[in-house]
Amino acid sequence: MSNKCADKFIPTFLRVYFHSSDWRALCQEWQQGNQAEIIKGIINHGLAGFFYQQLRAHPEWGFPVELQNGLKAAAQVIALQNAVYEREGRKITTALEQHQIPYLILKGFSLVERLYEDSGIRPISDIDIYIQRSDYARVRKILVSAGYQARMTPDYRGSLAEFIRLSEAYSTEITYVKSLGKSNINVDLHWGMDGLWDGSPLKDLFSIEEFPWMQYQRRAQIGPWDFSALSWEMQFLHIASHFALHHQFQGVKWLLDICLMLKKM
């Protein structure tokens, strides 16, 4: 169901952040809109951490404390969840490097160093790791030994074993999951960048797999975690193509990533 107040407030907020609108217009939208729905929409779009950080950094905007308070709990949940993912990511990349397996951390955490001031701001729902197809069996062994299991998509009606076989043969990614208490840690292994199944007509239109992704990398740093990621030029190409092919240009969070790259790089 559409949230018209949030759908109007969020773009205005981002225009203010990127200096293409006046903060007074934003305050007016807040005062005239359904404030509970605005807060709900910000949270549902995964923007609570970013908006909360900006409101704290810009007291001159004069927003009432209710908006910050409404986002604070959701922002704290994002920070806590990201901390768990960060810890798991560090364990996995340490194991990969100990086994001398080339890899790249994609999206999410790989954007923190330059785009976001803190690893707890942008919500992380999985750890995306790009590997070479020839290394998949070794990486799978590392994940299984760490307590991860392959997971099939909810709409697949066959067995897990059959799903794994088909994914390994015809897909370019597969998800592994580990339960930690009431939460799940998701790790998406990619041996392709386009996320398309073999035979998809889109492969002929977007020759993404022809790019030498592994040749263009950098070392990224989040606190004590040091890992391999795409160079910023290739990072932009990947984020833009992922936003188009995988998300069909839907999702403010992904659009914000792209806008921040254009602003800060």
Side-chain angles (χ1 to χ4, degrees):
M1 185 175 180
S2 177
N3 184 333
K4 293 182 179 180
C5 290
D7 291 345
K8 185 178 180 182
F9 182 85
I10 291 172
T12 303
F13 190 104
L14 295 178
R15 284 195 294 270
V16 171
Y17 174 78
F18 289 106
H19 308 294
S20 62
S21 184
D22 189 87
W23 60 266
R24 283 180 285 267
L26 187 64
C27 292
Q28 186 176 18
E29 288 187 13
W30 168 257
Q31 292 164 359
Q32 295 177 350
N34 184 322
Q35 296 171 3
E37 287 299 304
I38 290 174
I39 292 173
K40 181 180 178 181
I42 294 170
I43 293 171
N44 289 344
H45 280 289
L47 298 171
F50 181 77
F51 275 45
Y52 180 70
Q53 179 207 36
Q54 294 307 315
L55 288 169
R56 294 187 64 190
H58 296 281
E60 72 276 10
W61 291 354
F63 270 89
V65 71
E66 287 80 11
L67 179 54
Q68 277 196 46
N69 290 343
L71 298 175
K72 183 176 181 180
Q76 290 174 334
V77 170
I78 291 172
L80 178 61
Q81 177 175 297
N82 286 7
V84 175
Y85 267 102
E86 187 176 332
R87 182 187 65 187
E88 287 297 309
R90 187 180 179 190
K91 290 179 181 178
I92 293 170
T93 57
T94 297
L96 293 176
E97 292 180 7
Q98 287 175 344
H99 288 81
Q100 297 183 327
I101 298 175
Y103 72 90
L104 296 168
I105 296 293
L106 304 176
K107 301 177 286 185
F109 283 125
S110 68
L111 304 175
V112 168
E113 189 176 29
R114 294 280 291 276
L115 305 190
Y116 298 91
E117 297 174 12
D118 186 278
S119 61
I121 293 174
R122 186 193 185 279
I124 302 295
S125 58
D126 52 39
I127 303 171
D128 291 278
I129 306 175
Y130 179 70
I131 59 172
Q132 298 178 90
R133 182 62 181 85
S134 57
D135 290 324
Y136 169 70
R138 291 200 294 158
V139 177
R140 177 183 59 194
K141 185 177 181 180
I142 289 172
L143 291 178
V144 171
S145 66
Y148 287 87
Q149 295 182 333
R151 183 187 68 186
M152 60 183 180
T153 56
D155 57 345
Y156 185 75
R157 298 184 179 182
S159 67
L160 176 59
E162 184 182 49
F163 178 82
I164 294 173
R165 180 181 63 80
L166 291 173
S167 296
E168 293 174 351
Y170 301 108
S171 183
T172 58
E173 61 185 77
I174 190 169
T175 299
Y176 281 78
V177 180
K178 179 168 74 171
S179 295
L180 288 177
K182 295 182 179 180
S183 301
N184 286 333
I185 302 296
N186 303 302
V187 174
D188 289 348
L189 290 182
H190 303 261
W191 49 90
M193 284 291 189
D194 59 20
L196 302 173
W197 287 80
D198 283 351
S200 170
L202 291 176
K203 281 187 173 291
D204 293 331
L205 297 174
F206 303 96
S207 55
I208 295 172
E209 299 304 339
E210 296 179 7
F211 295 166
W213 299 97
M214 278 288 188
Q215 294 181 26
Y216 296 92
Q217 57 179 276
R218 61 186 165 88
R219 294 297 289 184
Q221 186 85 36
I222 301 177
W225 184 21
D226 179 64
F227 55 88
S228 296
L230 284 169
S231 68
W232 284 109
E233 293 82 0
M234 298 301 281
Q235 183 85 271
F236 181 81
L237 290 175
H238 176 242
I239 292 297
S241 64
H242 182 76
F243 185 48
L245 294 176
H246 186 75
H247 294 285
Q248 292 81 52
F249 301 103
Q250 300 296 310
V252 182
K253 180 177 68 174
W254 295 104
L255 179 60
L256 178 59
D257 288 339
I258 293 173
C259 291
L260 287 172
M261 290 186 76
L262 291 172
K263 177 183 179 180
K264 297 188 175 185
M265 300 310 299

